[in-house]
Amino acid sequence: MIFQIARVGDTVISIPCYREIARRHPDATRYLLTNHPIGSKWVPAEAILSATGLIAGSIPYPMPLRGRNAIVGLYKQLAALGAKTLYYLTPETKTNRLVRHYAFFRLCGISRIHAVPWSRDLQEPMEIIGKGIWGAQASRLLRCIGAQTEPQAPLSTDRDLGL
């Protein structure tokens, strides 16, 4: 399971992470848990990712996730799916939301949760020492999933959208 509340730009920037997750779990059926677009002008993340083979489908994350029916409904979907691993690609910096998401996913039976940006170091881009510039958002996300330790551009093959 990959959790990302995002718009089309966030999804495109995250492609290197999706490719790394696919390399780590080549035989897994990968699903995206994401907000679905409101309105006809928004492009759903699934439209970009399903063509790449990086996900098998998506599960809608109600925005905002409030009320007993919405929470229980999402819980039932996730528990029925039986996912044991989740990658947290949502750009969240508020500790209370991180804790809430983490606890909810654990209650759903997900035992391995990767990439939660608990520290400031993982919540913000890193400075590229000696260059006076900051690493990209893709680099920050790759650090969160443990695919990078220093800010650097993702491999060009990992950025390919396959269009």
Side-chain angles (χ1 to χ4, degrees):
M1 178 74 57
I2 301 165
F3 177 52
Q4 185 176 40
I5 302 299
R7 292 191 179 173
V8 68
D10 300 309
T11 302
V12 170
I13 286 169
S14 303
I15 293 286
C17 291
Y18 286 89
R19 293 201 187 285
E20 177 62 24
I21 293 166
R23 280 192 290 273
R24 290 179 184 182
H25 308 279
D27 298 325
T29 303
R30 294 174 299 277
Y31 286 95
L32 175 65
L33 175 61
T34 190
N35 55 318
H36 279 211
I38 302 169
S40 61
K41 294 184 181 183
W42 288 29
V43 177
E46 185 175 13
I48 296 166
L49 295 170
S50 61
T52 64
L54 296 171
I55 62 167
S58 67
I59 297 168
Y61 184 90
M63 292 293 290
L65 182 59
R66 291 195 183 126
R68 182 183 184 284
N69 290 343
I71 294 168
V72 169
L74 182 58
Y75 167 82
K76 286 180 179 179
Q77 278 187 290
L78 295 179
L81 195 60
K84 297 297 176 202
T85 303
L86 179 133
Y87 285 87
Y88 192 100
L89 299 183
T90 295
E92 183 58 67
T93 59
K94 295 187 178 180
T95 303
N96 63 334
R97 289 184 185 162
L98 292 170
V99 169
R100 182 182 70 207
H101 286 150
Y102 184 86
F104 178 74
F105 293 135
R106 290 301 303 252
L107 286 171
C108 291
I110 299 170
S111 56
R112 293 177 300 276
I113 301 174
H114 303 283
V116 180
W118 294 115
S119 67
R120 280 269 178 234
D121 180 53
L122 294 176
Q123 293 172 359
E124 299 172 358
M126 287 179 75
E127 182 179 5
I128 299 175
I129 305 299
K131 295 192 177 185
I133 58 175
W134 295 87
Q137 176 72 347
S139 178
R140 183 193 72 77
L141 288 168
L142 286 166
R143 285 187 298 110
C144 285
I145 67 170
Q148 284 186 358
T149 56
E150 297 295 322
Q152 57 190 343
L155 299 172
S156 59
T157 54
D158 284 351
R159 295 187 306 244
D160 183 13
L161 294 177
L163 299 176

